Amino acid sequence: MKPRILYTKPSITDREVAYATDAAANGWGERCYDYINRFEAAFATHLGAAHAISTSSCTGALHMGLAALGVGPGDEVILADTNWTASAAPIVHLGAKPVFVDVLSDSWCIDPERAEAAITPRTKAIIAVHIYGNLCDMDRLLDIGARHGIPVVEDAAEALGSEWRGRKAGSLGAFGAFSFHGTKTVTTGEGGMFVTSDAKLHEKVLTLSNHGRARGQKKQFWPDEIGFKYKMSNLQAAVGLAQIERVGELVERKRAIFYAYRDLLAGVNAVAMNPEPEGTQNGFWMPTVVFAPETGVTREKLQDAFAAENIDARVFFWPLSSLPPFEGVPANTTAYDLPGRAINLPSYHDMTAEEIGRVVDVLRGCLAA
């Protein structure tokens, strides 16, 4: 059997090992927040944001950020139907209703026109999820938010390295949320980050992130309100700091892998890939191919073909409104059409040209079959 090609794995070097070792040996007592503080500062600087708060997951960052915006029972939050459940779960946990709208056929991100049409007096926020590194149309979404007095939130879990007209994804909205899951371009194993340049929002989330204990509270073990426990450990932050110090290298490798796929698929008009509109940069977290309907290539055919070649492949996200927790929501045409003829491609940092070629051979074989 041919050697297995994983769809993703992290890039870990001696730097990550050294920082994690130091945190394990010395990061206790008075130094228990050293790597956390350094990681948050480095991440905020990289992003061009004023504030960053490390979290145990992107989901936790979204949960606290939405809570700080006042999302609660009876409210609605608009987001794209093409998403992972992590974008919608915090809305439900807060007692609000996720309102799923259709996506654009080229970016697979939220359709701004559909988002605006879904606004009601109960709308509390719009979440712009930059799917697979592809960018939402932030100019249109921010304009819609400003005209209606509704904050636009960026779920940038998959968009580290993506930039919208010179500004990094996650730095444009009321707040941004990032993921450092083991599959992501920058990883801490599990983890996330809340980022904002709004001082009041930062202070509110800082309080919520510490069990509701406000900064400056002099009484020990005295919460000022009910908060959350979504903290990142100093050990995880040590790995994260090493990773963010290498972020340029990590993003560029992701981009190089995408371009290698694109070049090998040049001339195959029946396949669409992640877009990179003029004035933007795509971090290409997850290279993805969508086959034209007339090819007859299906998700199941792709899965079988990849499995036969001992290659991992990841299915395109199901529409959230098709999942059991959200059943009964009207279908969104594009969000329902895409998954049945698409697949995510392997893209770990140390993929070889030979491995990329093997993946492309499978794709071409599906078209020829």
Side-chain angles (χ1 to χ4, degrees), residues 95-233:
K97 176 185 176 182
V99 176
F100 303 122
V101 300
D102 211 352
V103 297
L104 298 170
S105 59
D106 55 353
S107 69
W108 323 321
C109 292
I110 190 168
D111 183 332
E113 185 176 327
R114 299 294 184 91
E116 185 166 24
I119 292 173
T120 74
R122 295 184 296 279
T123 303
K124 199 73 172 184
I126 298 171
I127 301 181
V129 182
H130 302 303
I131 207 80
Y132 304 140
N134 302 349
L135 289 157
C136 298
D137 188 332
M138 292 304 297
D139 289 348
R140 293 177 65 189
L141 290 173
L142 290 171
D143 175 67
I144 291 167
R147 286 190 284 105
H148 292 273
I150 297 169
V152 176
V153 170
E154 290 180 89
D155 181 339
E158 303 173 356
L160 192 62
S162 296
E163 297 182 10
W164 179 263
R165 309 197 189 288
R167 297 181 63 186
K168 289 183 169 57
S171 70
L172 293 92
F175 73 84
F178 288 84
S179 170
F180 306 127
H181 183 266
T183 61
K184 297 301 191 291
T185 302
V186 162
T187 186
T188 58
E190 283 282 1
M193 193 76 78
F194 168 91
V195 296
T196 187
S197 290
D198 183 324
K200 289 184 178 179
L201 189 60
H202 167 252
E203 202 65 35
K204 177 66 174 175
V205 173
L206 195 63
T207 296
L208 289 174
S209 72
N210 193 25
H211 285 299
R213 292 181 288 188
R215 180 163 56 174
Q217 172 57 254
K218 302 300 183 184
K219 295 181 181 179
Q220 194 173 24
F221 298 122
W222 186 272
D224 297 274
E225 58 184 295
I226 297 296
F228 298 94
K229 179 65 171 178
Y230 285 134
K231 287 183 174 292
M232 176 182 287
S233 74

Side-chain angles (χ1 to χ4, degrees), residues 34-49:
D34 281 6
Y35 279 104
I36 291 172
N37 294 335
R38 291 171 64 188
F39 183 33
E40 291 173 345
F43 195 86
T45 297
H46 167 71
L47 207 68

Side-chain angles (χ1 to χ4, degrees), residues 4 14 25 34 73 112 158 199 229 245-246 264 271 290 337 343 368:
R4 189 156 193 82
D14 289 345
D34 281 6
E158 303 173 356
K229 179 65 171 178
E245 289 176 351
R246 300 175 54 221
L264 289 174
V271 173
V290 179
D337 175 56
I343 204 81

Side-chain angles (χ1 to χ4, degrees), residues 1-5 304-312 358 362:
M1 179 176 285
K2 296 178 181 178
R4 189 156 193 82
I5 298 178
D304 289 345
F306 275 100
E309 292 297 317
N310 203 25
I311 300 172
D312 282 344
R358 280 179 58 194
V362 173

Side-chain angles (χ1 to χ4, degrees), residues 256-340:
I257 290 169
F258 174 85
Y259 290 132
Y261 277 127
R262 190 190 66 178
D263 290 347
L264 289 174
L265 288 167
V268 183
N269 297 324
V271 173
M273 297 189 72
N274 312 56
E276 191 174 41
E278 185 177 353
T280 72
Q281 174 177 293
N282 195 324
F284 296 126
W285 169 65
M286 190 64 69
T288 301
V289 292
V290 179
F291 285 81
E294 60 269 20
T295 64
V297 175
T298 65
R299 171 183 53 229
E300 291 73 23
K301 182 177 180 178
L302 288 162
Q303 286 179 286
D304 289 345
F306 275 100
E309 292 297 317
N310 203 25
I311 300 172
D312 282 344
R314 222 181 74 142
V315 300
F316 197 96
F317 285 133
W318 307 91
L320 291 182
S321 64
S322 72
L323 303 178
F326 307 110
E327 283 180 340
V329 179
N332 291 303
T333 305
T334 305
Y336 274 73
D337 175 56
L338 289 169

Side-chain angles (χ1 to χ4, degrees), residues 64 69 203 244 257 274 313 360 363:
M64 291 190 295
L69 289 176
E203 202 65 35
I244 204 64
I257 290 169
N274 312 56
V360 170
L363 298 175

